[in-house]
Amino acid sequence: METVFQPVEHLQSIFGPAINRVSTDHGVPVVHVNTNQILPITRYIHINEEFRGTLSLLWAVDHRPREVRYELWYLFTLGDSKDWLIVSTDLLGDERLFESITPKIHAANWYEREIRDMFGLIAQGHPDLRRLVRHNHWPKGVHPLHKNFPCNSVLQWRQPPGSVDGHFIHGEGVFEVPVGPIHAGIIEPGHFRFTVAGEPIMHLDLQHFWKHRGVEKLFEQQTLSDGVVLAERISGDTTFGHSLTYCQAVESLMDIHVPRRARYLRSLFLELERLHNHIGDVGGLCNDTAYALAHAHCSRLKERVMQLNDHLTGSRFLRGVNCVGGVGIDPPAVQLSDTVTELERIEKDFSELEQIIAVNASLIDRFENTGIVKKQTAWDHGVVGVVGRASGIDRDLRRDRPFAAYDELSVRVAGSINGDVRSRVQVRMAEIHESIRLIGEIQRTLPDGPLKGRRQVVPVPGAWALSAVEGWRGEIVCFLMAGEHEGIHRCKVRDPSFVNWPAIQLAVIGNIIPDFPLINKSFSLSYAGNDL
Amino acid sequence: MFEILKKSFKTGIVTDQYPPAPAGQKISVAPTAQKKAELFRKSLTIREVDTGSCNACEMEMNALANPVYDIERLGIHIAASPRHADALVVTGPVTVNMEGPLKDVYKTTPNPKLVIALGDCAINCGIFKGSYAVTGPVDQHIPVDVRIPGCPPRPAEIIEALTELRKGETTFTRWFRKFSGEP
Ligand code: SF4
């Protein structure tokens, strides 16, 4: 407990009068501060040597109808200890303005724009207050997460006004290349606007949220135990990761003890998900360098893993496996050992392929020094997951904040320092081997026992829980606040894509447009998970 | 080079090695669609449009191109532009932001064209029904000829649906039979 409170004491000693109250919920310290002090305090947490906090999540809660106030929450992950620290502040009554922290903490950029769009709260002093989620054709004053906004009032599509408000560079010889929203491959929609002078990219402007389906509002129409189905569909390729994050949040709200066997199985499925996605991505990268043969082999291997998923659980995407309290599927021992044997074959197959890829000069030439994200950039923007690890950010929730059965399994975290496409491929490849090793270990040590825990408490309205999972892309974070009648008052989900997308804008600078697909693929971000 | 060849020989042929589609929901092909598809029985070029899916439907579409399913062997190609497409495959509910682009894509696709709604979301909005940002299923915006249900449908099911659609004689074979005097 001491380590958790030490940072809070430190803050109190410096910002004493600005701190209204301090509480601890589920082991996470919450420091409630005055609104006008939010910038100095968050900045202090961000840059002070003792904290070195990265902003992991920033979200707002509308407390209506119970109380007439908005609350802003800032979640920090502290540098060395990897502990969480939450700073929160109130906007009472009809207060709509708060001070932006983006000028000091870059990672807050998209979050604050999102809060403005969804709640109508305006971050004053934000350098770029363009619309993010609400496209230009949305009527003024529509803030969907506002409690007064009914979920079923369907917006109407209107011809958007002519001009695009983007950040552009003008000048002689500078031109723009717009791409999307519908792309050439079978890929999700997103709009990219490159500004180039000659070949190198000078600037990239992203316009996302084409696939905005109002997931966070839809959650508010669900009960706590029914939300799993929706959580599985936040991002199809991270079905298991998202449902696990959600289930864990509900479990801590209801104080459910998840049995050991269920926790082991959760780790197993999570690794299976990581496996098929990583193999697919390695193949995709080879494809983007026109190395079709390696792509064909990788997609064949990916298909084998997906068929394995289907065989184990009845769903190629591991849907319907997670449930609140545990897992709903108990594969017999024979099937598990078959899985491990098959995975060993896949690993052998993949290793051979890896050797072929590793010596392909033209591939290395394209991969090396392309799309570099420096460690400092990654840290400033709070980049997570594979991309972060490839840039030297040594963070992996499986090791740092163990969930499921990872406290009993030792995870070897892959890492690299160059931050280019090649590093990201290397991290992925290392993780593929590690996942297969972990699945083997789980199969050998899988304990017996029940699959589901029982709920202990009925969450009171306003109770909240935070949960985080290292999905295959990176940290998935979910904040869940209970509402009346076991409903959901607020569910904030953050896919790792949301933080990594802005980093792509920096990674492409100085590269040429033909390398963009490669860089994009090496990040491998979700549009659905980002757009929600 | 030698390694690559060795690997390929070792792997052998994997095409068509997938479990059969489970007999589940029936795909629905409008009678007019069968007629429209007549033109495309030998070769069909599809263009996938995502209007707000969770991406799982798309991943299954992508899987169709892998060596195991290899839909090229059935004469089905994936085009990069709607202008080159015979059929549009739409996945996901239509979000308020994608409604415009979807209509644009439909307009740019040359006639005659087929529209295939893939997945529950495209057919009836699935789990996203009732959201402020979802303006409706695909057929509310553009006419849909074929519906392939599932969340997501397995690649084997998609292949089955596409084969079903293209069953029967083409105008050419009918013509050929007539002139060669075959019964
Ligand atoms: S039908 Fe299912 S898999 Fe397809 S987009 Fe909808 S939720 Fe995703």
Side-chain angles (χ1 to χ4, degrees):
Chain A
M1 261 347 222
E2 215 171 54
T3 49
V4 171
F5 276 102
Q6 201 192 341
V8 178
E9 275 169 18
H10 183 154
L11 272 188
Q12 270 171 330
S13 68
I14 295 176
F15 294 98
I19 295 174
N20 293 333
R21 60 171 189 277
V22 175
S23 59
T24 312
D25 222 317
H26 303 295
V28 187
V30 185
V31 183
H32 198 276
V33 305
N34 287 341
T35 312
N36 55 5
Q37 289 295 309
I38 202 78
L39 180 64
I41 292 178
T42 48
R43 178 165 181 259
Y44 189 81
I45 296 174
H46 185 58
I47 59 172
N48 185 277
E49 274 309 313
E50 217 173 289
F51 291 99
R52 301 277 301 156
T54 27
L55 186 71
S56 288
L57 189 62
L58 163 52
W59 70 103
V61 176
D62 185 356
H63 282 283
R64 269 151 261 242
R66 270 183 300 119
E67 293 164 62
V68 187
R69 69 177 166 115
Y70 294 102
E71 196 169 7
L72 293 168
W73 304 63
Y74 301 76
L75 171 70
F76 285 94
T77 306
L78 304 185
D80 295 326
S81 60
K82 311 285 197 304
D83 280 328
W84 277 343
L85 175 65
I86 295 179
V87 178
S88 83
T89 187
D90 277 340
L91 296 180
L92 293 174
D94 286 325
E95 182 71 51
R96 287 281 182 281
L97 307 176
F98 64 100
E99 198 171 2
S100 166
I101 62 167
T102 306
K104 302 292 177 210
I105 304 173
H106 301 311
N109 184 354
W110 276 28
Y111 290 119
E112 287 185 344
R113 286 171 68 183
E114 186 193 30
I115 287 174
R116 188 211 166 176
D117 282 358
M118 304 311 275
F119 289 92
L121 306 176
I122 300 169
Q124 279 196 308
H126 192 291
D128 176 19
L129 265 185
R130 283 176 296 151
R131 287 178 170 201
L132 182 75
V133 184
R134 301 182 300 158
H135 279 197
N136 272 350
H137 66 90
W138 288 36
K140 248 183 133 171
V142 169
H143 303 296
L145 285 184
H146 210 287
K147 283 287 170 192
N148 295 337
F149 184 89
C151 185
N152 55 8
S153 63
V154 179
L155 296 169
Q156 292 300 319
W157 184 77
R158 298 177 303 159
Q159 195 67 37
S163 69
V164 185
D165 65 342
H167 278 175
F168 305 124
I169 301 173
H170 299 285
E172 203 178 329
V174 179
F175 57 96
E176 262 170 40
V177 183
V179 182
I182 295 177
H183 302 282
I186 300 181
I187 173 176
E188 305 173 74
H191 184 69
F192 303 90
R193 224 160 237 271
F194 299 94
T195 311
V196 290
E199 290 233 28
I201 300 169
M202 295 163 75
H203 178 70
L204 165 62
D205 204 65
L206 292 180
Q207 194 191 10
H208 271 313
F209 298 92
W210 296 88
K211 302 178 78 172
H212 178 73
R213 295 149 291 164
V215 171
E216 286 177 7
K217 191 83 178 177
L218 279 172
F219 266 120
E220 293 174 11
Q221 321 301 318
Q222 308 260 358
T223 61
L224 284 168
S225 19
D226 292 345
V228 191
V229 187
L230 184 56
E232 283 180 338
R233 281 153 184 81
I234 289 173
S235 175
D237 46 17
T238 325
T239 297
F240 198 81
H242 271 293
S243 60
L244 180 56
T245 325
Y246 177 81
C247 286
Q248 284 184 0
V250 180
E251 281 149 15
S252 46
L253 270 180
M254 296 185 173
D255 208 4
I256 299 174
H257 176 77
V258 182
R260 225 167 132 232
R261 185 175 173 86
R263 287 192 287 125
Y264 267 75
L265 284 174
R266 281 179 167 182
S267 294
L268 179 120
F269 291 127
L270 193 69
E271 293 305 324
L272 273 173
E273 185 172 85
R274 187 182 316 276
L275 203 58
H276 76 74
N277 281 304
H278 277 347
I279 296 179
D281 278 347
V282 172
L285 274 157
C286 295
N287 192 37
D288 282 341
T289 55
Y291 194 11
L293 188 101
H295 176 226
H297 277 296
C298 281
S299 48
R300 170 179 64 84
L301 290 175
K302 176 181 178 174
E303 178 62 30
R304 270 168 80 178
V305 181
M306 306 230 6
Q307 286 185 11
L308 211 60
N309 288 350
D310 201 358
H311 197 58
L312 268 178
T313 67
S315 160
R316 288 161 58 91
F317 291 88
L318 304 168
R319 291 209 162 145
V321 176
N322 256 324
C323 56
V324 171
V327 288
I329 276 168
D330 192 11
V334 195
Q335 214 176 14
L336 282 176
S337 65
D338 284 354
T339 306
V340 172
T341 335
E342 166 76 349
L343 284 178
E344 274 159 10
R345 276 196 295 255
I346 291 177
E347 183 170 27
K348 194 159 155 278
D349 209 334
F350 184 74
S351 303
E352 285 172 11
L353 191 65
E354 214 177 333
Q355 267 155 24
I356 297 173
I357 295 174
V359 295
N360 188 312
S362 60
L363 213 66
I364 296 169
D365 183 46
R366 290 288 302 278
F367 285 179
E368 239 173 20
N369 295 327
T370 306
I372 296 178
V373 182
K374 292 220 182 70
K375 185 175 179 184
Q376 184 63 40
T377 320
W379 195 81
D380 280 344
H381 290 265
V383 171
V384 295
V386 174
V387 185
R389 284 195 284 281
S391 298
I393 307 258
D394 186 23
R395 251 168 78 170
D396 191 319
L397 290 174
R398 290 178 292 171
R399 181 197 59 198
D400 302 334
R401 295 188 68 83
F403 52 93
Y406 290 107
D407 47 351
E408 297 174 37
L409 306 162
S410 57
V411 182
R412 284 187 230 127
V413 179
S416 185
I417 44 165
N418 294 334
D420 54 1
V421 174
R422 192 179 184 199
S423 305
R424 293 190 274 276
V425 177
Q426 281 167 344
V427 169
R428 286 214 161 80
M429 285 177 168
E431 289 192 2
I432 289 170
H433 293 291
E434 179 64 7
S435 286
I436 294 177
R437 189 191 69 79
L438 277 170
I439 293 172
E441 194 179 325
I442 293 169
Q443 186 257 339
R444 280 192 303 278
T445 55
L446 186 67
D448 279 334
L451 287 180
K452 247 173 137 177
R454 294 260 290 281
R455 63 147 74 188
Q456 307 289 336
V457 293
V458 178
V460 290
W464 59 270
L466 254 175
S467 108
V469 160
E470 187 77 28
W472 66 274
R473 249 188 209 108
E475 296 172 15
I476 305 167
V477 191
C478 175
F479 168 85
L480 196 62
M481 188 177 258
E484 310 282 337
H485 313 299
E486 293 192 35
I488 299 174
H489 184 80
R490 172 92 170 98
C491 179
K492 170 76 198 152
V493 187
R494 197 219 61 197
D495 191 83
S497 317
F498 190 81
V499 267
N500 287 1
W501 271 117
I504 277 200
Q505 291 173 308
L506 304 160
V508 296
I509 292 175
N511 290 273
I512 57 175
I513 291 185
D515 273 339
F516 176 71
L518 200 59
I519 299 169
N520 196 6
K521 188 77 216 170
S522 75
F523 273 66
S524 186
L525 302 178
S526 164
Y527 298 64
N530 178 71
D531 300 358
L532 286 183
Chain B
M1 187 65 202
F2 177 68
E3 286 295 318
I4 298 174
L5 286 175
K6 201 171 101 191
K7 176 91 190 142
S8 297
F9 278 121
K10 234 168 91 180
T11 308
I13 293 167
V14 294
T15 309
D16 216 5
Q17 293 177 3
Y18 52 87
Q25 292 151 303
K26 199 76 191 85
I27 59 151
S28 96
V29 180
T32 47
Q34 206 94 38
K35 187 98 193 81
K36 266 206 224 168
E38 208 170 83
L39 266 176
F40 311 124
R41 278 190 180 148
K42 287 279 163 190
S43 119
L44 174 73
T45 304
I46 56 181
R47 170 81 198 114
E48 205 269 351
V49 183
D50 174 1
T51 52
S53 80
C54 72
N55 198 25
C57 278
E58 300 210 292
M59 280 173 76
E60 296 296 49
M61 280 295 292
N62 263 320
L64 289 179
N66 73 24
V68 180
Y69 298 102
D70 189 26
I71 50 164
E72 295 260 339
R73 79 201 145 103
L74 304 171
I76 301 171
H77 316 281
I78 295 167
S81 159
R83 287 185 204 274
H84 304 158
D86 307 320
L88 289 178
V89 178
V90 189
T91 58
V94 182
T95 64
V96 60
N97 291 340
M98 280 308 286
E99 192 184 324
L102 174 68
K103 286 177 177 161
D104 287 349
V105 161
Y106 184 74
K107 252 183 263 157
T108 9
T109 314
N111 282 320
K113 57 194 159 203
L114 286 165
V115 177
I116 303 170
L118 183 86
D120 292 349
C121 284
I123 296 170
N124 56 21
C125 292
I127 190 139
F128 303 111
K129 195 186 282 170
S131 163
Y132 62 89
V134 170
T135 57
V138 177
D139 63 6
Q140 195 172 319
H141 302 292
I142 58 174
V144 171
D145 301 304
V146 183
R147 293 175 177 81
I148 307 177
C151 181
R154 288 186 172 79
E157 292 171 78
I158 304 176
I159 290 190
E160 204 169 82
L162 290 175
T163 329
E164 177 79 16
L165 175 68
R166 299 154 72 229
K167 256 192 204 147
E169 279 187 313
T170 66
T171 323
F172 176 75
T173 48
R174 203 177 300 134
W175 176 85
F176 184 78
R177 193 158 47 84
K178 199 168 151 199
F179 281 88
S180 61
E182 275 178 43

